[in-house]
Amino acid sequence: MKIYLNGKLVSREQAQISVFDHGLLYGDGVFEGIRAYHGRVFKLREHLDRLANSAQAILLTIPLTKEELEAAIIETLQANSLKDAYVRVIVTRGVGDLGLDPQKCLRPSIVIIADRIALYPEEYYSHGLEVITATTKRNLPEAINPCIKSLNYLNNILAKIEASRANVPEAILLNKDGYVAECTGDNLFLVRGGVGGGLEETTLVTPPTSVGVLEGITRATVMDLAKTRLKLLVKEEPFTVYHVYTAAEVFLTGTAAEVIPVVKVDGRRIGEGKPGKVTHRLIKEFRELTRLTGVPIRGGT
Ligand code: PMP
């Protein structure tokens, strides 16, 4: 395996970061998780834009342009002969001293890891997930805005531990006012109405970023597919767990998960207790899109 580290492709063993890197000492840095499908990098520009925004929000200057970062990602995929992959791009504040001051860090560290994707079990898609509501609240947007994809994921990890202890794969985080935010690594959607009937009265609802969620790239893609392909009404509006419990369908979206149905929340059956038809159609549309679009890993393919 070849890993990109500060401008060089090195072996896994050589890919080492200083213990004085503030990414390690303080979680001071930003990252992206990106997918390549069938030799194309999916939504690469959107991921690079979000990385740039995350970096800007924490006053971190990435020492590469978006074009250079794109070339580095493609080069890393090529070096590992990967066509279907998960790519992790990490930019840390860099090596400093034991104090917090980021000004002591002279140069950000850039790491790109491209690996085979550890796919979620197929039964998650066919049978759906069970999730719980975590007691851990989502970070306050006024403290650390969840729109920043930072290296500090303790908020999410604490909720993930709650999920594991309840023997379920995911947990829903609420914000401090009790509105549903998102899951530990995925955005959340509800489908309202439309059970058994046509799709005309069906509405897709997801929390607005103002409640404190990551502005997911899969979220945006699914909102677009729902509007253009399924002709659904799509709303970004705050809601509580009441609306989750009473939804016709619930699903999660994320780069790794894609679109994944949720059939039980806090022990309560959602809708008919099996993946719904809107979720099924969105899974299909999303998978089709991943086949058709993206930046080629090798020119012209
Ligand atoms: N929310 C959180 C907290 C995440 O970490 C992620 C990414 N894993 C998402 C949502 C989904 O975002 P995307 O669709 O861009 O992967």
Side-chain angles (χ1 to χ4, degrees):
M1 178 190 257
K2 291 283 178 205
I3 292 165
Y4 176 99
L5 177 64
N6 296 327
K8 292 197 189 98
L9 283 166
V10 299
S11 69
R12 200 188 173 105
E13 293 69 35
Q14 290 168 317
Q16 292 184 3
I17 287 265
S18 163
V19 292
F20 289 96
D21 193 298
H22 280 208
L24 172 70
L25 287 175
Y26 298 116
D28 186 356
V30 294
F31 77 103
E32 277 299 319
I34 310 173
R35 287 283 284 273
Y37 294 92
H38 313 288
R40 291 164 187 266
V41 189
F42 189 62
K43 301 279 174 192
L44 182 52
R45 184 43 66 159
E46 287 81 350
H47 283 284
L48 291 175
D49 287 346
R50 187 172 65 186
L51 186 73
N53 288 339
S54 295
Q56 180 154 5
I58 67 161
L59 292 110
L60 170 67
T61 307
I62 301 178
L64 295 185
T65 63
K66 282 184 193 168
E67 290 68 31
E68 287 167 336
L69 264 180
E70 174 169 333
I73 290 167
I74 302 279
E75 192 189 351
T76 309
L77 282 161
Q78 286 174 345
N80 291 286
S81 306
L82 288 167
K83 287 194 156 155
D84 292 275
Y86 181 84
V87 183
R88 178 61 60 90
V89 182
I90 305 151
V91 186
T92 77
R93 190 76 66 176
V95 176
D97 62 20
L98 288 179
L100 287 177
D101 189 358
Q103 291 185 66
K104 303 262 175 69
C105 305
L106 294 181
R107 195 182 159 80
S109 307
I110 304 186
V111 178
I112 304 171
I113 307 166
D115 203 355
R116 270 167 232 295
I117 170 93
L119 291 172
Y120 285 41
E122 187 48 42
E123 70 186 61
Y124 281 14
Y125 300 90
S126 51
H127 291 86
L129 287 192
E130 177 170 356
V131 307
I132 56 152
T133 307
T135 59
T136 305
K137 298 291 177 272
R138 191 72 176 109
N139 279 336
L140 268 180
E142 298 81 1
I144 302 175
N145 197 317
C147 277
I148 304 169
K149 201 161 166 62
S150 89
L151 290 182
N152 193 321
Y153 253 53
L154 262 183
N155 182 214
N156 315 55
I157 290 164
L158 290 176
K160 188 80 177 179
I161 290 169
E162 289 189 53
S164 307
R165 291 165 82 106
N167 280 317
V168 297
E170 255 299 356
I172 299 173
L173 289 118
L174 309 180
N175 73 5
K176 70 131 181 40
D177 298 319
Y179 289 107
V180 171
E182 58 183 335
C183 286
T184 67
D186 299 303
N187 291 111
L188 185 138
F189 282 83
L190 306 181
V191 178
R192 278 197 201 140
V195 185
L199 290 183
E200 311 80 54
E201 286 152 36
T202 309
T203 309
L204 200 60
V205 193
T206 196
T209 53
S210 55
V211 306
V213 301
L214 183 74
E215 198 165 6
I217 287 161
T218 321
R219 172 184 180 274
T221 307
V222 163
M223 284 164 69
D224 189 52
L225 286 172
K227 280 184 216 159
T228 59
R229 308 282 303 169
L230 275 66
K231 310 285 182 215
L232 299 184
L233 200 60
V234 179
K235 287 189 187 162
E236 290 178 72
E237 103 190 356
F239 54 83
T240 64
V241 279
Y242 163 80
H243 297 101
V244 178
Y245 296 155
T246 56
E249 299 178 32
V250 175
F251 63 85
L252 311 181
T253 63
T255 295
E258 300 176 333
V259 178
I260 205 154
V262 172
V263 292
K264 227 181 204 187
V265 179
D266 297 331
R268 297 163 184 247
R269 211 175 72 160
I270 303 300
E272 295 174 355
K274 53 184 202 274
K277 67 176 180 197
V278 173
T279 310
H280 267 313
R281 278 208 53 196
L282 285 167
I283 292 173
K284 195 166 150 276
E285 293 286 350
F286 185 83
R287 288 189 172 162
E288 256 169 53
L289 190 69
T290 62
R291 238 183 285 277
L292 301 172
T293 56
V295 176
I297 296 172
R298 293 200 186 278
T301 53

